[in-house]
Amino acid sequence: MTNLETEALAAGGALAAFLAGRLLLIRRVRRVEDWMRRARRGEPPPASELPGRGLLAPLAHEAARLVRSLIDARAVAEQEARLRQLGDSLWTPERLREHVRAKLSGRPLVVVANREPYRHVRRGGRVEVETPASGLVTGLEPLLRACGGTWIAHGDGDADFASADASGRLRVPPEQPQYSLRRVRLQEEDARGYYEGFSNEGLWPLCHIAHTRPVFRAADWAAYRKVNETFADAVLHEIDGQEEPCVLVQDYHFTLLPRLLKRRRPDARVALFWHIPWPNPEAFGICPWQKELLDGLLGADVIGFHTQDHCNNFLDTVDRFLESRVDRARFAVTRDGSATAVRPFPISVDFAESPSEDPVARAAADRRSVLKETGAEAIVVGVDRLDYTKGILERFRAVERFFEKNPDWAGRLTLVQIGAPSRGGLQDYRDFAERVRAEAARVNARFGGGAPPISLRTRHHTHEEIRRYYRSADACLVTSLHDGMNLVAKEFVASRDDEDGVLILSRFAGAARELRDALIVNPYDVDEVSSAIAATIGMAPNERALRMTRLRRQVRENNVYRWAADQITELAAVRLPAPSATAPGATAL
Ligand code: F6P
């Protein structure tokens, strides 16, 4: 081999080595590049795939560290976003308190409701405090507890005024006072005409399509007007001296109150929340004082209903009977130059009610004790006021049908029906309670032996007593023939922190719009309800858990604090008329 050939070979070898080295380097750079790209996409391969030796090792090492910190930063950001999202969707008492303070610039809340949250009654020579069975109280109490303020209500307990100061005022809750309760005293005859007569024999059946005829009497109407005026005086007294006070009026007992208030305090922000359904114009049209009621309501700046359907019915009714401008695009009514916003605010419950370290063990213990108490193997629970709109008789017939179709369950399944005494001053309600007792006895006699098909408890129960039944039940039956919302459905869901239990829910309750993971039934269809009971008994545990988890998410995110916050937001956005010559806050009492 000549020198030239040797040199050429060496040069070729060097070139080949250079090219091989270059290729290797390119491959390694590509590996680092590919590794970094995959890491950037959020699929980091193991660091062992990076070159561990050679020229690129320090670079790869640095790249791995950089990527690691990017991954950590991304995880932290994601976690923060998740928490922020949860924070946005979760309303708590603290958050509501801040919200109300900011929106109302520290002004106190004034709530007006017929029903009081605490009632003092004499029993066996002692005075006891009672919490009335009332969806309204369940909904409003958390708001007042969180934000403070004054709740003005009819004091109808026989020891109410003996337990308050000279102006009917006391601080409540009795065990840990957080807000003021101001009791209004009514003459017995006025209370009868306004509450039992016009409100509960007239408006209640008028708004609930449950096939009970409304009764309208002129004397009841006169009492209703008088009592609305009495309450207007109480509110005006309460807000005297306050600039732009904020008043939340509740329910069908006070249709005239918003107008009465606004006439004397145009600077007040007034909202009215209607806790029951609003019927269609044809149904509403049979009320002889339809115009007066609508005009009174339209004194409010904001009127709230549980569902959009009720808002629509209300707008249709106003359109039909009253001279006004109904703006369906903005959901507002303008009458005599002032506007009322009409909005759906679905009421709810305080979700975090009774925390437990081990919810599953607690539910199991409750279940064991209720099964022992009833002698049953399966429990279905119903919790209602003894009211004909709640579908209690239809429910009993569905239970009867269940035993007809599933005779092997006779003596093994019990419906625990809690029936809170209600409106006992009315003959219709006393008769209804009797029919409920007779019907339970009839079904029990038919399927005697073993556990009773229906265990009826017609006394007042505390929240804690009721929660024990909720937690022990295979299913909760809510079969209202018509209901604004029905908070029993949401209370049942809130109490099931063991993520078990099935909700059977009437499609005619407002709650059916939100609680889609319940078994939705027609309460008049006895066969359908009995099949739903059978379905809950046979439902696979994972389906029960899935349904309950989704129900709980819905109620948790749409709790009562959100309900209150949404109303306050709407009310705070109201543009009040420019102040007139009269100094704001001055009331001619
Ligand atoms: O849900 C309608 C309603 O009137 C509520 O205001 C109240 O919670 C419930 O019925 C109980 O009625 P009452 O206050 O007549 O006992």
Side-chain angles (χ1 to χ4, degrees), residues 113-125:
N114 170 70
R115 186 56 65 203
E116 55 182 340
Y118 298 95
R119 208 164 164 247
H120 285 83
V121 287
R122 289 180 215 282
R123 260 192 216 110

Side-chain angles (χ1 to χ4, degrees), residues 167-220:
S167 60
R169 191 184 295 273
L170 66 157
R171 297 281 295 166
V172 288
E175 72 281 4
Q176 197 190 352
Q178 281 161 308
Y179 64 94
S180 295
L181 169 60
R182 163 87 202 281
R183 289 170 169 156
V184 174
R185 196 192 291 269
L186 297 179
Q187 301 296 324
E188 221 176 291
E189 202 187 334
D190 292 340
R192 208 173 304 121
Y194 137 84
Y195 173 72
E196 291 178 354
F198 197 75
S199 297
N200 287 328
E201 288 189 289
L203 292 179
W204 180 265
L206 180 79
C207 294
H208 288 89
I209 312 299
H211 314 287
T212 296
R213 276 176 171 224
V215 179
F216 291 110
R217 301 181 196 91
D220 291 345

Side-chain angles (χ1 to χ4, degrees), residues 115 133-136 195 200 204 251-253 275-276 385 423:
R115 186 56 65 203
S134 155
L136 180 150
Y195 173 72
N200 287 328
W204 180 265
D251 234 349
Y252 57 100
H253 311 89
H275 289 257
I276 62 176
R385 286 184 302 105
R423 304 179 186 169

Side-chain angles (χ1 to χ4, degrees), residues 73-89:
R74 180 184 287 160
V76 170
E78 278 172 0
Q79 165 86 345
E80 274 175 1
R82 261 200 308 277
L83 288 176
R84 244 196 330 273
Q85 218 174 28
L86 207 63
D88 277 354
S89 61

